[in-house]
Short mmCIF file of all heavy atoms in Angstrom, two decimals:
data_model
loop_
_atom_site.label_atom_id
_atom_site.label_comp_id
_atom_site.label_asym_id
_atom_site.label_seq_id
_atom_site.Cartn_x
_atom_site.Cartn_y
_atom_site.Cartn_z
N MET A 192 2.80 2.98 -2.81
CA MET A 192 2.87 2.17 -1.61
C MET A 192 2.01 0.95 -1.79
O MET A 192 2.38 -0.11 -1.35
CB MET A 192 2.51 2.98 -0.40
CG MET A 192 2.77 2.26 0.85
SD MET A 192 2.52 3.22 2.38
CE MET A 192 3.78 4.46 2.19
N LEU A 193 0.86 1.17 -2.38
CA LEU A 193 -0.03 0.05 -2.61
C LEU A 193 0.58 -1.01 -3.53
O LEU A 193 0.52 -2.22 -3.28
CB LEU A 193 -1.34 0.55 -3.23
CG LEU A 193 -2.45 -0.47 -3.47
CD1 LEU A 193 -2.90 -1.10 -2.21
CD2 LEU A 193 -3.62 0.19 -4.11
N LEU A 194 1.22 -0.51 -4.61
CA LEU A 194 1.86 -1.40 -5.56
C LEU A 194 3.02 -2.14 -4.91
O LEU A 194 3.23 -3.38 -5.15
CB LEU A 194 2.35 -0.59 -6.80
CG LEU A 194 2.96 -1.42 -7.91
CD1 LEU A 194 1.94 -2.36 -8.49
CD2 LEU A 194 3.46 -0.49 -9.00
N LEU A 195 3.81 -1.49 -4.12
CA LEU A 195 4.95 -2.13 -3.39
C LEU A 195 4.39 -3.22 -2.45
O LEU A 195 4.97 -4.30 -2.35
CB LEU A 195 5.76 -1.12 -2.64
CG LEU A 195 6.93 -1.64 -1.87
CD1 LEU A 195 7.96 -2.30 -2.79
CD2 LEU A 195 7.55 -0.56 -1.03
N GLY A 196 3.30 -2.94 -1.78
CA GLY A 196 2.71 -3.94 -0.89
C GLY A 196 2.26 -5.17 -1.67
O GLY A 196 2.46 -6.31 -1.17
N ILE A 197 1.68 -4.97 -2.78
CA ILE A 197 1.21 -6.14 -3.61
C ILE A 197 2.39 -6.91 -4.08
O ILE A 197 2.38 -8.15 -4.10
CB ILE A 197 0.31 -5.63 -4.76
CG1 ILE A 197 -1.00 -5.08 -4.17
CG2 ILE A 197 0.03 -6.77 -5.72
CD1 ILE A 197 -1.85 -4.37 -5.18
N ILE A 198 3.45 -6.23 -4.54
CA ILE A 198 4.64 -6.93 -5.03
C ILE A 198 5.26 -7.77 -3.90
O ILE A 198 5.60 -8.91 -4.06
CB ILE A 198 5.64 -5.93 -5.58
CG1 ILE A 198 5.13 -5.37 -6.91
CG2 ILE A 198 7.05 -6.59 -5.78
CD1 ILE A 198 5.97 -4.19 -7.41
N LEU A 199 5.34 -7.17 -2.68
CA LEU A 199 5.92 -7.87 -1.56
C LEU A 199 5.01 -9.08 -1.14
O LEU A 199 5.53 -10.15 -0.71
CB LEU A 199 6.13 -6.98 -0.36
CG LEU A 199 7.29 -6.04 -0.44
CD1 LEU A 199 7.33 -5.10 0.74
CD2 LEU A 199 8.60 -6.78 -0.55
N LEU A 200 3.69 -8.94 -1.30
CA LEU A 200 2.81 -10.02 -1.02
C LEU A 200 3.07 -11.20 -1.96
O LEU A 200 3.14 -12.37 -1.50
CB LEU A 200 1.36 -9.58 -1.16
CG LEU A 200 0.69 -8.93 0.05
CD1 LEU A 200 -0.64 -8.38 -0.34
CD2 LEU A 200 0.57 -9.84 1.21
N VAL A 201 3.22 -10.89 -3.23
CA VAL A 201 3.46 -11.96 -4.21
C VAL A 201 4.82 -12.61 -3.98
O VAL A 201 4.95 -13.86 -3.97
CB VAL A 201 3.33 -11.37 -5.65
CG1 VAL A 201 3.83 -12.39 -6.67
CG2 VAL A 201 1.94 -10.97 -5.95
N VAL A 202 5.84 -11.81 -3.77
CA VAL A 202 7.21 -12.37 -3.54
C VAL A 202 7.21 -13.21 -2.29
O VAL A 202 7.80 -14.28 -2.25
CB VAL A 202 8.27 -11.23 -3.52
CG1 VAL A 202 9.60 -11.76 -3.05
CG2 VAL A 202 8.36 -10.56 -4.87
N GLY A 203 6.55 -12.69 -1.17
CA GLY A 203 6.55 -13.46 0.03
C GLY A 203 5.81 -14.78 -0.11
O GLY A 203 6.16 -15.77 0.47
N PHE A 204 4.74 -14.76 -0.91
CA PHE A 204 3.99 -16.00 -1.11
C PHE A 204 4.72 -17.00 -1.90
O PHE A 204 4.76 -18.20 -1.58
CB PHE A 204 2.63 -15.66 -1.81
CG PHE A 204 1.77 -16.83 -2.05
CD1 PHE A 204 1.10 -17.45 -1.02
CD2 PHE A 204 1.65 -17.35 -3.36
CE1 PHE A 204 0.30 -18.55 -1.23
CE2 PHE A 204 0.88 -18.46 -3.56
CZ PHE A 204 0.18 -19.07 -2.51
N VAL A 205 5.40 -16.52 -3.00
CA VAL A 205 6.16 -17.44 -3.86
C VAL A 205 7.37 -18.03 -3.15
O VAL A 205 7.65 -19.22 -3.26
CB VAL A 205 6.55 -16.72 -5.14
CG1 VAL A 205 7.53 -17.52 -5.98
CG2 VAL A 205 5.34 -16.36 -5.95
N THR A 206 8.09 -17.18 -2.44
CA THR A 206 9.33 -17.68 -1.78
C THR A 206 9.07 -18.31 -0.42
O THR A 206 9.94 -18.99 0.12
CB THR A 206 10.31 -16.50 -1.59
OG1 THR A 206 9.73 -15.50 -0.79
CG2 THR A 206 10.75 -15.94 -2.97
N GLY A 207 7.93 -18.05 0.18
CA GLY A 207 7.66 -18.62 1.49
C GLY A 207 8.24 -17.88 2.63
O GLY A 207 8.33 -18.37 3.75
N ILE A 208 8.67 -16.62 2.43
CA ILE A 208 9.27 -15.79 3.45
C ILE A 208 8.10 -15.03 4.12
O ILE A 208 7.52 -14.13 3.51
CB ILE A 208 10.32 -14.84 2.87
CG1 ILE A 208 11.40 -15.64 2.18
CG2 ILE A 208 10.88 -13.96 3.97
CD1 ILE A 208 12.42 -14.76 1.45
N SER A 209 7.85 -15.32 5.37
CA SER A 209 6.68 -14.80 6.02
C SER A 209 6.84 -13.35 6.39
O SER A 209 5.84 -12.61 6.43
CB SER A 209 6.41 -15.55 7.31
OG SER A 209 7.42 -15.48 8.23
N ILE A 210 8.08 -12.82 6.57
CA ILE A 210 8.25 -11.43 6.92
C ILE A 210 7.86 -10.55 5.75
O ILE A 210 7.32 -9.43 5.92
CB ILE A 210 9.67 -11.11 7.43
CG1 ILE A 210 9.73 -9.71 8.00
CG2 ILE A 210 10.69 -11.31 6.33
CD1 ILE A 210 9.09 -9.54 9.32
N LEU A 211 8.13 -11.00 4.50
CA LEU A 211 7.76 -10.24 3.31
C LEU A 211 6.23 -10.20 3.17
O LEU A 211 5.66 -9.21 2.80
CB LEU A 211 8.38 -10.85 2.06
CG LEU A 211 9.87 -10.67 1.86
CD1 LEU A 211 10.33 -11.30 0.59
CD2 LEU A 211 10.23 -9.21 1.90
N TRP A 212 5.63 -11.31 3.49
CA TRP A 212 4.14 -11.44 3.47
C TRP A 212 3.54 -10.39 4.44
O TRP A 212 2.60 -9.69 4.11
CB TRP A 212 3.74 -12.83 3.84
CG TRP A 212 2.29 -13.11 3.83
CD1 TRP A 212 1.47 -13.17 4.91
CD2 TRP A 212 1.43 -13.30 2.69
NE1 TRP A 212 0.17 -13.43 4.52
CE2 TRP A 212 0.13 -13.52 3.19
CE3 TRP A 212 1.67 -13.37 1.31
CZ2 TRP A 212 -0.93 -13.72 2.36
CZ3 TRP A 212 0.60 -13.61 0.48
CH2 TRP A 212 -0.64 -13.82 1.02
N THR A 213 4.08 -10.33 5.69
CA THR A 213 3.56 -9.43 6.68
C THR A 213 3.78 -7.98 6.29
O THR A 213 2.83 -7.14 6.44
CB THR A 213 4.25 -9.73 8.02
OG1 THR A 213 4.10 -11.11 8.36
CG2 THR A 213 3.71 -8.84 9.13
N ILE A 214 4.97 -7.63 5.82
CA ILE A 214 5.23 -6.26 5.45
C ILE A 214 4.39 -5.88 4.21
O ILE A 214 3.87 -4.74 4.12
CB ILE A 214 6.77 -6.10 5.09
CG1 ILE A 214 7.56 -6.27 6.40
CG2 ILE A 214 7.03 -4.75 4.46
CD1 ILE A 214 9.07 -6.31 6.18
N GLY A 215 4.16 -6.82 3.33
CA GLY A 215 3.30 -6.57 2.16
C GLY A 215 1.90 -6.27 2.55
O GLY A 215 1.25 -5.36 1.97
N ILE A 216 1.36 -6.99 3.52
CA ILE A 216 -0.04 -6.71 4.01
C ILE A 216 -0.11 -5.30 4.57
O ILE A 216 -1.01 -4.58 4.32
CB ILE A 216 -0.44 -7.79 5.01
CG1 ILE A 216 -0.65 -9.12 4.31
CG2 ILE A 216 -1.74 -7.33 5.77
CD1 ILE A 216 -0.93 -10.29 5.23
N ILE A 217 0.87 -4.98 5.44
CA ILE A 217 0.88 -3.68 6.10
C ILE A 217 0.95 -2.57 5.05
O ILE A 217 0.17 -1.58 5.15
CB ILE A 217 2.04 -3.55 7.08
CG1 ILE A 217 1.75 -4.55 8.27
CG2 ILE A 217 2.20 -2.15 7.63
CD1 ILE A 217 2.99 -4.75 9.16
N LEU A 218 1.85 -2.65 4.12
CA LEU A 218 2.01 -1.62 3.08
C LEU A 218 0.79 -1.51 2.18
O LEU A 218 0.39 -0.44 1.80
CB LEU A 218 3.28 -1.88 2.22
CG LEU A 218 4.60 -1.63 2.93
CD1 LEU A 218 5.72 -1.89 1.97
CD2 LEU A 218 4.68 -0.19 3.42
N ALA A 219 0.16 -2.68 1.85
CA ALA A 219 -1.00 -2.61 0.98
C ALA A 219 -2.15 -1.95 1.71
O ALA A 219 -2.89 -1.16 1.14
CB ALA A 219 -1.42 -4.06 0.61
N VAL A 220 -2.32 -2.21 3.02
CA VAL A 220 -3.42 -1.56 3.77
C VAL A 220 -3.17 -0.04 3.89
O VAL A 220 -4.07 0.75 3.68
CB VAL A 220 -3.55 -2.20 5.16
CG1 VAL A 220 -4.48 -1.39 6.04
CG2 VAL A 220 -4.09 -3.62 5.05
N ILE A 221 -1.95 0.33 4.23
CA ILE A 221 -1.64 1.74 4.34
C ILE A 221 -1.79 2.45 2.98
O ILE A 221 -2.38 3.58 2.89
CB ILE A 221 -0.23 1.97 4.88
CG1 ILE A 221 -0.14 1.49 6.33
CG2 ILE A 221 0.23 3.41 4.74
CD1 ILE A 221 1.28 1.48 6.91
N GLY A 222 -1.34 1.84 1.94
CA GLY A 222 -1.49 2.39 0.56
C GLY A 222 -2.94 2.52 0.22
O GLY A 222 -3.36 3.54 -0.40
N ALA A 223 -3.76 1.53 0.54
CA ALA A 223 -5.20 1.63 0.21
C ALA A 223 -5.85 2.75 0.98
O ALA A 223 -6.70 3.51 0.42
CB ALA A 223 -5.88 0.27 0.49
N VAL A 224 -5.53 2.92 2.26
CA VAL A 224 -6.11 3.97 3.07
C VAL A 224 -5.70 5.34 2.50
O VAL A 224 -6.55 6.26 2.35
CB VAL A 224 -5.68 3.82 4.55
CG1 VAL A 224 -6.03 5.04 5.32
CG2 VAL A 224 -6.33 2.63 5.17
N LEU A 225 -4.45 5.51 2.14
CA LEU A 225 -3.99 6.75 1.59
C LEU A 225 -4.67 7.07 0.24
O LEU A 225 -5.02 8.22 -0.05
CB LEU A 225 -2.45 6.82 1.45
CG LEU A 225 -1.64 6.85 2.77
CD1 LEU A 225 -0.23 6.69 2.44
CD2 LEU A 225 -1.97 8.10 3.52
N TRP A 226 -4.84 6.08 -0.57
CA TRP A 226 -5.45 6.19 -1.83
C TRP A 226 -6.92 6.65 -1.68
O TRP A 226 -7.42 7.52 -2.36
CB TRP A 226 -5.34 4.94 -2.64
CG TRP A 226 -5.97 4.94 -3.97
CD1 TRP A 226 -5.98 5.95 -4.88
CD2 TRP A 226 -6.74 3.92 -4.59
NE1 TRP A 226 -6.67 5.61 -6.03
CE2 TRP A 226 -7.12 4.32 -5.86
CE3 TRP A 226 -7.06 2.61 -4.19
CZ2 TRP A 226 -7.87 3.49 -6.71
CZ3 TRP A 226 -7.82 1.84 -5.03
CH2 TRP A 226 -8.17 2.31 -6.28
N ILE A 227 -7.65 5.99 -0.76
CA ILE A 227 -9.03 6.32 -0.52
C ILE A 227 -9.18 7.74 0.02
O ILE A 227 -10.04 8.52 -0.41
CB ILE A 227 -9.67 5.28 0.41
CG1 ILE A 227 -9.83 3.93 -0.30
CG2 ILE A 227 -11.06 5.81 0.91
CD1 ILE A 227 -10.22 2.79 0.61
N MET A 228 -8.33 8.10 0.97
CA MET A 228 -8.32 9.47 1.52
C MET A 228 -8.06 10.50 0.45
O MET A 228 -8.70 11.55 0.37
CB MET A 228 -7.40 9.59 2.68
CG MET A 228 -7.82 8.88 3.96
SD MET A 228 -6.59 8.98 5.26
CE MET A 228 -6.35 10.71 5.41
N GLY A 229 -7.08 10.24 -0.42
CA GLY A 229 -6.74 11.14 -1.50
C GLY A 229 -7.85 11.27 -2.50
O GLY A 229 -8.12 12.37 -3.02
N SER A 230 -8.53 10.16 -2.80
CA SER A 230 -9.61 10.25 -3.80
C SER A 230 -10.85 10.90 -3.26
O SER A 230 -11.65 11.42 -4.04
CB SER A 230 -9.90 8.82 -4.33
OG SER A 230 -10.51 8.04 -3.28
N MET A 231 -10.97 10.95 -1.94
CA MET A 231 -12.13 11.63 -1.36
C MET A 231 -11.92 13.16 -1.21
O MET A 231 -12.83 13.87 -0.84
CB MET A 231 -12.46 11.04 0.01
CG MET A 231 -13.00 9.64 -0.03
SD MET A 231 -13.21 8.88 1.56
CE MET A 231 -14.28 9.99 2.37
N GLY A 232 -10.75 13.59 -1.54
CA GLY A 232 -10.44 15.05 -1.50
C GLY A 232 -9.78 15.50 -0.24
O GLY A 232 -9.54 16.68 -0.12
N HIS A 233 -9.47 14.60 0.68
CA HIS A 233 -8.75 15.02 1.91
C HIS A 233 -7.32 15.24 1.60
O HIS A 233 -6.70 14.47 0.76
CB HIS A 233 -8.90 13.90 2.97
CG HIS A 233 -10.25 13.69 3.48
ND1 HIS A 233 -10.86 14.53 4.37
CD2 HIS A 233 -11.19 12.75 3.19
CE1 HIS A 233 -12.10 14.10 4.64
NE2 HIS A 233 -12.30 13.01 3.91
N ALA A 234 -6.72 16.22 2.21
CA ALA A 234 -5.29 16.44 2.05
C ALA A 234 -4.54 15.40 2.83
O ALA A 234 -4.79 15.16 4.02
CB ALA A 234 -4.92 17.84 2.55
N VAL A 235 -3.62 14.73 2.20
CA VAL A 235 -2.82 13.64 2.81
C VAL A 235 -1.39 14.04 2.81
O VAL A 235 -0.81 14.24 1.73
CB VAL A 235 -3.03 12.30 2.04
CG1 VAL A 235 -2.15 11.22 2.69
CG2 VAL A 235 -4.43 11.86 2.05
N ALA A 236 -0.79 14.22 3.98
CA ALA A 236 0.61 14.61 4.12
C ALA A 236 0.91 15.91 3.38
O ALA A 236 1.95 16.02 2.74
CB ALA A 236 1.52 13.47 3.70
N GLY A 237 -0.01 16.84 3.42
CA GLY A 237 0.17 18.14 2.75
C GLY A 237 -0.08 18.12 1.26
O GLY A 237 0.10 19.13 0.65
N ARG A 238 -0.55 17.02 0.75
CA ARG A 238 -0.87 16.92 -0.67
C ARG A 238 -2.38 16.86 -0.86
O ARG A 238 -3.06 16.17 -0.08
CB ARG A 238 -0.24 15.68 -1.29
CG ARG A 238 1.24 15.70 -1.26
CD ARG A 238 1.72 14.49 -1.96
NE ARG A 238 3.18 14.46 -2.04
CZ ARG A 238 3.85 13.57 -2.70
NH1 ARG A 238 3.27 12.62 -3.32
NH2 ARG A 238 5.16 13.64 -2.70
N ARG A 239 -2.84 17.49 -1.91
CA ARG A 239 -4.30 17.45 -2.18
C ARG A 239 -4.65 16.09 -2.78
O ARG A 239 -5.74 15.56 -2.52
CB ARG A 239 -4.65 18.56 -3.18
CG ARG A 239 -6.12 18.70 -3.41
CD ARG A 239 -6.79 19.33 -2.23
NE ARG A 239 -8.22 19.44 -2.53
CZ ARG A 239 -9.12 19.40 -1.59
NH1 ARG A 239 -8.81 19.20 -0.31
NH2 ARG A 239 -10.39 19.55 -1.87
N HIS A 240 -3.74 15.48 -3.62
CA HIS A 240 -3.96 14.21 -4.14
C HIS A 240 -2.78 13.25 -3.82
O HIS A 240 -1.68 13.73 -3.72
CB HIS A 240 -4.06 14.28 -5.71
CG HIS A 240 -5.18 15.12 -6.16
ND1 HIS A 240 -6.45 14.69 -6.19
CD2 HIS A 240 -5.19 16.40 -6.65
CE1 HIS A 240 -7.25 15.67 -6.63
NE2 HIS A 240 -6.45 16.69 -6.93
N TYR A 241 -3.07 12.03 -3.58
CA TYR A 241 -2.00 11.02 -3.26
C TYR A 241 -2.08 9.96 -4.34
O TYR A 241 -3.04 9.30 -4.49
CB TYR A 241 -2.22 10.44 -1.89
CG TYR A 241 -1.04 9.58 -1.47
CD1 TYR A 241 0.03 10.17 -0.87
CD2 TYR A 241 -1.05 8.25 -1.72
CE1 TYR A 241 1.12 9.39 -0.49
CE2 TYR A 241 0.03 7.46 -1.37
CZ TYR A 241 1.11 8.07 -0.75
OH TYR A 241 2.20 7.28 -0.41
N TRP A 242 -0.97 9.82 -5.03
CA TRP A 242 -0.86 8.81 -6.06
C TRP A 242 0.09 7.74 -5.61
O TRP A 242 1.21 7.93 -5.33
CB TRP A 242 -0.48 9.37 -7.41
CG TRP A 242 -1.54 10.18 -7.98
CD1 TRP A 242 -2.66 9.69 -8.62
CD2 TRP A 242 -1.67 11.60 -8.02
NE1 TRP A 242 -3.43 10.72 -9.07
CE2 TRP A 242 -2.85 11.92 -8.71
CE3 TRP A 242 -0.85 12.64 -7.58
CZ2 TRP A 242 -3.22 13.21 -8.97
CZ3 TRP A 242 -1.26 13.90 -7.82
CH2 TRP A 242 -2.44 14.20 -8.50
#
C-alpha cells in the first residue's frame, strides 16, 4: 500500500491530476502506519507481520 501511494503521488505530480495526488497521500500514510504497526509486533488485520 505504501508503494502504491508513492506511485500515485509521482503520477499525480507529473500529470497534474490532483485526485491522484490526494489518493496517493492517503495511501502512503495508511501504508506507513500499517508498516510501523507491523514492525512493532502488533497484529494488523489478523496478521503478525504486514508487508
